[in-house]
Each structure stands twice: as structure tokens, then as C-alpha cells.
Amino acid sequence: MDKPPNDPSAVGSSAQGSSTEPLIELRGVNKHYGKLHVLRDIDLTVGRGEVVVVIGPSGSGKSTLCRTINRLETIESGTIVVAGQPLPEEGKALARLRSEVGMVFQSFNLFAHKTVLANVMLAPLKVRRKRKDEAERRARELLERVGLASQAEKYPAQLSGGQQQRVAIARALAMDPQALLFDEPTSALDPEMISEVLEVMQQLAREGMTMVVVTHEMGFARSAANRVVFMADGQVVEDRVPEEFFTAPSSARAKDFLSKILKH
Ligand SMILES: Nc1ncnc2c1ncn2[C@@H]1O[C@H](COP(=O)(O)OP(=O)(O)O)[C@@H](O)[C@H]1O
Ligand SMILES: [Mg+2]
């Protein structure tokens, strides 16, 4: 047996809530680190409102992929289009496009000497030149949304890891991005804090936020993702709806990876 027959109803249900308008498009993207060919002919389209979970073994290029979408890394060939605009090389246009795509890292990267509120207000004040009262109103609203309204005046070190990561999500949202990239947002967290972060991400997904999420949380992938992208050795090996990917991965690499990750 090759593949299971196409089941249009299954595809329809997993694509629910997403539109077909592409928001992020990568075409033939290649990148090397010295001799290491870290991204190989990557083609990837993320539609507006879609949640794409990226999984794959360590070193397969997942973080590099995220970073190229934001031009934190340059590419050697191919094109990356965000919201219909090719990514500019540098300057104001790049700063503007970068702010359209928020990023949440494994390490929360909050400013230790600033309060939670000040962390969330910072970019809107500095980059968007928002008025202070407006930035504060919005920051408090976002802290409420991630369940941290009462922690606004604290400093990051006074918060748990899960709370700090929720602040990082609020901070990313404060720029009103069109999409959010998450690079292993729960990998640095103690197990009991993972779910509070995933719940915030689930909520964002339900509200229609476009998200690219690198994660090993297969429960999140199954319940929130429209598609699962499996990477190995710098290539997109599979790009499927979660149900198909988890029940019938077509590549040996994905089967092997799933057997390891689902065992524990
Ligand atoms: N700045 C860098 N310089 C050289 N090699 C790097 C750099 N960043 C990542 N790499 C290498 O590129 C490969 C892909 O890394 P990465 O994108 O971080 O993979 P993943 O996130 O899937 O674990 C790895 O072999 C890694 O060692
Ligand atoms: Mg990584």
C-alpha cells in the first residue's frame, strides 16, 4: 500500500478557519553555513490565519528557517515574500516588515531591568512611536489576554518561566504583527508550565493568528495545526495535515522521528 486515498472531508476539516491567501511564501530558499547546506530548496507557503507546526530532528534547520523569514539570517538564493512584499535586504523597509512578523524564542529575552509592563510597551514606543498612554493601555490589555494583568509592575526575575514566556508573547503581540513565529517556546520550561503557554498559543490560533510554530509538543500540533511540516537535513520532507502526518507519515525519516518522539 502506498498512500491512503484522499479524503476531502478530512482535508476540509483541518483547513477550517484558514483562508488560502498566502501570507508567508518561501520559494527555492537555500542557505549555507560554510560547507553546511542548512536550508535546501525550501518551498513553504503559510496562508493567512493558518497554523503551521514545524518539527524535525535537532540540527535539521528549523531555527534557521524561522530566522530567515525574519531576515535575522540572510539567504543565498530563493525568495521570501511576506504579505505580498519581497523581504527587503535592509533599512527601514526591512524594519517595518520585520515588525509584521513577531518572534518568540525558547529563551524569553526579556529586559531584566524593566518591568513586565515596560517590556511590553518598549517596541511600540520606540519602533511604532506610539503615545505612552496608548502603548500602556494596549500593553495592559495584552497582559490581561495572557493572564498576567496582576504582574504588570513586577520584574522578569520575579516571574516563573511560564509567566515570562507569556510576557514574551504579549510583547510580540504589542507590535500588532500579521504573523507570529515561535521557536521551541516551551522547550526551556519546567513541565508544569508548558500547558499555560500552550493554552495562550491555542487561544491565538483560535482567534485566527497566523503562526509558524517549531515545537516538539505533538498534542499542540494535533489540536492546533492546519499543517505539519517535517524537516530533515535542511529539507522539507513532508508537509501534510496533522491527521495524515501522524497516522500515515510517508517518509522513513518521519516514521523514525515519530517513533522516537511518541515513545516517551
Ligand atoms: N550561526 C551558525 N553558524 C554555523 N552553523 C550553524 C549556525 N546556526 C546553526 N548552525 C548549524 O546549522 C544546522 C541547523 O541548525 P538549526 O537551524 O539551529 O537546527 P534546528 O533548529 O532544527 O535544531 C545545525 O547543524 C547547526 O549546527
Ligand atoms: Mg532550533
Side-chain angles (χ1 to χ4, degrees), residues 14 27 68 84 99 116 160 163 258:
S14 58
R27 289 284 163 268
T68 60
S99 71
V116 162
S160 73
Q163 289 174 322
L258 282 175

Side-chain angles (χ1 to χ4, degrees), residues 31 33 38-39 61-69 73-74 183:
K31 179 174 181 66
Y33 286 121
V38 61
L39 295 179
K62 307 180 298 295
S63 293
T64 307
L65 177 76
C66 284
R67 295 168 61 81
T68 60
I69 293 173
E73 297 282 354
T74 56
D183 190 2

